[in-house]
Amino acid sequence: MNFDTIIIGGGMAGLSCALRCLEAGLKTAVITSGQSALHFSSGSIDVLANTPDGTQVSEPFQAIENFAQCYPTHPYATLGKDLVSHAIQWYQKTLSRIGVPLSSQPNGQNHYRLTPLGTMKSTWLSQPFVHQFPLSLRDNTVNKIVMITIDGFRDFQPKLAQDNLSQIGAFADVEITAATVTLPSFNTIKRNHCELRSIDLSRLLAKRSHLQEFAFALQKHAKPGDLVVIPAIFGNGKGLANLKEVEQLTGFNLCEIPTMPPSLLGIRLEEMMKHAFIEQGGTLFNGDHVTQGEFSFIEHAEPEQSHYRLNRIFTKNHGDFPLQAKQFVLATGSFFSQGLKANANSMEEPIFNLELNQSETRTEWYNTRFFSPQSHPFLSMGVKTNHQFKAIKEDHRIDNLYCSGAILSGYNPILEGSGSGVAISSGFYAAQSIIAQLNPQFLVNHPSDIKQQEVAL
Ligand SMILES: Cc1cc2nc3c(=O)[nH]c(=O)nc-3n(C[C@H](O)[C@H](O)[C@H](O)COP(=O)(O)OP(=O)(O)OC[C@H]3O[C@@H](n4cnc5c(N)ncnc54)[C@H](O)[C@@H]3O)c2cc1C
């Protein structure tokens, strides 16, 4: 099978890249083996909450402007503020078009979202029913917060969240309560408490009578105008429409918060992107696993110009039958998704055996203090690339293999709160570079001020 582009990995980076390639009319395939990090995510888009040295950031794009000087090995330093900002705006527009509107604060600052533990986490874009608290919490305008869960659901504990939220000084005057609702019709699935997960509840709430029963039960614990915090139990598809209906029935301001996995807020993003990709003509090999690639070596008189080309790849499901493309993108994630693997003494990129930026010895991979504020060095390790994010193998670039997302080195998505920002912008960058080679006319018709387009050419 032949494609213009094959993207390996169907998480935030791979799917962003794939949707952009499709927009430019490229014949695009995504091969993805398992669940991406989105199944564990809040579904909010973190761009930059802290600099790599741990300083809190209020205006992420302004902060990224200084990265080339201050953190030259960070992916944002190579991408540049203009590309990152353009990519995030493109993502916001794209997601809105495919059914998940995302919004940020009009003042150019991050906002806080409430976590299931009742703490605040800074982020850039959030979904419609995620309440955006201002970074300056003293400017919070909510007077009453009611935290509600469903009897038998373990993955959100409102009392715990209530206790933690009340510790925040700026909430001293905010009334915070917690409640549990019992829904008789939900007893049908309460075979065992361990089995009641957000996905089960979302299936039940898809039925109108259950939705109304839920709305009615909520009304016993809150009044119109209250901020009513509920676990994310409304699924994909009509999930957002159903939440709107509950708001209309009750007059509450609803706030969804992510639960323990499966996190429906993150899954909502992944499913909508995959759905749009297929609908727009992309080929998705879901549940397949890329095992290896075949390369040729192009030798030049000047040794530094010599490079590899990836000709074709092999997967578990396709066996001896190879998949070919002009350009490839590797977006297989970090250790979490097995894009990287750690052995007793070394790390490896398991498909192509690419060069990695990693510490020599295992003792340098981690901090001796598990909860150290400096986090763990292994989180910043990943593949080595050139300045165009092309992979490196045996000291030579692979000319048609771009890397994007969590497999990249030089940043720490957890400490910085930059995970989706790097994934979207590096995926978008790879797509722009590929489009510049395979369909440059598209970029002429859709101009932008992205300096990296010239680099890619
Ligand atoms: C637990 C957790 C929570 C997070 N929460 C947030 C959050 O709330 N907000 C935020 O902005 N960021 C969050 N992040 C960070 C952010 O989600 C990630 O940085 C980003 O989503 C990474 O996307 P990715 O596409 O690079 O990789 P991934 O999401 O890891 O996707 C990689 C995909 O590649 C597939 N794959 C791997 N190997 C192969 C192979 N050989 N063949 C085919 N497919 C393969 C995997 O199955 C997976 O589907 C979180 C990260 C984690 C780990």
Side-chain angles (χ1 to χ4, degrees):
M1 263 182 278
N2 267 300
F3 296 91
D4 289 328
T5 315
I6 293 180
I7 294 147
I8 311 170
M12 184 64 98
L15 291 171
S16 300
C17 180
L19 287 171
R20 181 64 176 169
C21 286
L22 273 190
E23 263 179 22
L26 303 184
K27 188 178 173 196
T28 307
V30 170
I31 308 170
T32 192
S33 52
Q35 291 180 344
S36 76
L38 282 166
H39 287 242
F40 304 82
S41 137
S42 66
S44 286
I45 307 297
D46 302 345
V47 172
L48 188 70
N50 302 296
T51 59
D53 62 16
T55 311
Q56 191 181 13
V57 166
S58 51
E59 297 185 24
F61 297 103
Q62 201 181 64
I64 290 169
E65 196 143 31
N66 303 322
F67 267 45
Q69 212 181 346
C70 303
Y71 313 104
T73 57
H74 196 288
Y76 281 159
T78 312
L79 292 163
K81 178 203 144 201
D82 289 346
L83 184 130
V84 177
S85 151
H86 186 87
I88 301 296
Q89 281 173 39
W90 166 84
Y91 186 78
Q92 191 179 357
K93 262 193 226 148
T94 303
L95 266 281
S96 178
R97 187 164 40 79
I98 66 178
V100 190
L102 296 163
S103 63
S104 60
Q105 289 290 296
N107 61 5
Q109 293 195 347
N110 280 324
H111 59 267
Y112 278 127
R113 65 171 175 84
L114 189 58
T115 73
L117 291 177
T119 56
M120 291 285 171
K121 197 154 185 311
S122 170
T123 189
W124 176 248
L125 290 175
S126 284
Q127 297 185 28
F129 294 95
V130 173
H131 185 80
Q132 300 190 11
F133 292 91
L135 267 197
S136 162
L137 284 174
R138 303 222 166 269
D139 298 333
N140 160 52
T141 51
V142 175
N143 297 318
K144 184 169 178 196
I145 300 176
V146 185
M147 312 245 189
I148 301 187
T149 193
I150 290 173
D151 185 30
F153 180 61
R154 297 173 317 150
D155 294 341
F156 172 54
Q157 300 296 332
K159 190 78 185 76
L160 179 70
Q162 178 198 16
D163 286 350
N164 283 335
L165 191 58
S166 334
Q167 314 271 323
I168 298 176
F171 284 83
D173 296 331
V174 180
E175 188 185 346
I176 307 168
T177 60
T180 301
V181 297
T182 307
L183 301 170
S185 58
F186 284 21
N187 286 335
T188 51
I189 57 162
K190 271 205 297 180
R191 297 174 293 268
N192 166 342
H193 274 198
C194 303
E195 290 173 42
L196 189 57
R197 313 305 300 260
S198 52
I199 211 98
D200 300 314
L201 295 176
S202 79
R203 281 191 201 113
L204 279 168
L205 287 164
K207 196 169 167 191
R208 195 137 199 285
S209 58
H210 292 160
L211 185 92
Q212 286 167 336
E213 185 185 342
F214 178 63
F216 182 69
L218 291 183
Q219 281 171 315
K220 293 184 189 142
H221 301 281
K223 290 198 197 66
D226 292 348
L227 184 69
V228 174
V229 176
I230 54 167
I233 48 174
F234 284 87
N236 318 311
K238 285 181 68 193
L240 290 175
N242 287 343
L243 279 159
K244 199 165 189 180
E245 189 171 348
V246 176
E247 265 199 353
Q248 278 161 356
L249 287 168
T250 57
F252 301 157
N253 297 319
L254 286 184
C255 173
E256 276 188 293
I257 51 169
T259 63
M260 298 287 281
S263 168
L264 293 186
L265 280 151
I267 295 173
R268 187 179 289 152
L269 293 180
E270 185 184 294
E271 291 203 348
M272 294 305 258
M273 287 193 282
K274 279 186 173 168
H275 182 76
F277 177 70
I278 294 167
E279 207 166 53
Q280 289 162 33
T283 304
L284 179 67
F285 297 104
N286 224 356
D288 200 358
H289 189 86
V290 178
T291 50
Q292 56 175 313
E294 242 177 47
F295 296 90
S296 16
F297 188 64
I298 320 293
E299 203 146 7
H300 275 255
E302 291 174 43
E304 65 276 9
Q305 290 303 320
S306 299
H307 60 265
Y308 282 100
R309 249 194 105 69
L310 176 58
N311 298 321
R312 49 196 203 159
I313 55 173
F314 293 86
T315 76
K316 263 192 185 152
N317 292 355
H318 288 84
D320 292 342
F321 188 67
L323 300 174
Q324 284 172 260
K326 294 174 190 137
Q327 299 286 334
F328 294 84
V329 179
L330 184 68
T332 45
S334 185
F335 302 97
F336 193 74
S337 296
Q338 302 189 8
L340 298 172
K341 282 191 173 165
N343 307 315
N345 292 308
S346 65
M347 294 177 180
E348 60 163 1
E349 184 287 305
I351 307 177
F352 305 117
N353 198 17
L354 301 177
E355 283 186 29
L356 300 183
N357 279 322
Q358 59 168 306
S359 312
E360 287 297 311
T361 59
R362 190 185 173 91
T363 48
E364 291 169 33
W365 292 359
Y366 55 88
N367 252 311
T368 43
R369 286 171 59 210
F370 187 77
F371 289 112
S372 160
Q374 265 70 50
S375 186
H376 297 280
F378 77 85
L379 287 166
S380 306
M381 294 175 193
V383 291
K384 204 182 260 184
T385 64
N386 73 356
H387 65 288
Q388 295 169 321
F389 293 98
K390 290 182 180 178
I392 309 280
K393 188 174 168 66
E394 292 152 10
D395 272 346
H396 296 283
R397 74 176 190 275
I398 304 172
D399 207 37
N400 61 340
L401 178 62
Y402 292 88
C403 299
S404 62
I407 197 167
L408 293 171
S409 56
Y411 78 111
N412 182 332
I414 307 300
L415 176 86
E416 297 164 14
S418 60
S420 294
V422 170
I424 293 166
S425 51
S426 58
F428 183 85
Y429 171 85
Q432 292 289 103
S433 307
I434 290 168
I435 296 165
Q437 293 166 73
L438 302 184
N439 183 8
Q441 193 56 36
F442 175 82
L443 296 180
V444 175
N445 295 338
H446 300 82
S448 73
D449 54 355
I450 303 168
K451 67 178 192 307
Q452 271 74 17
Q453 277 174 19
E454 295 147 26
V455 177
L457 286 164

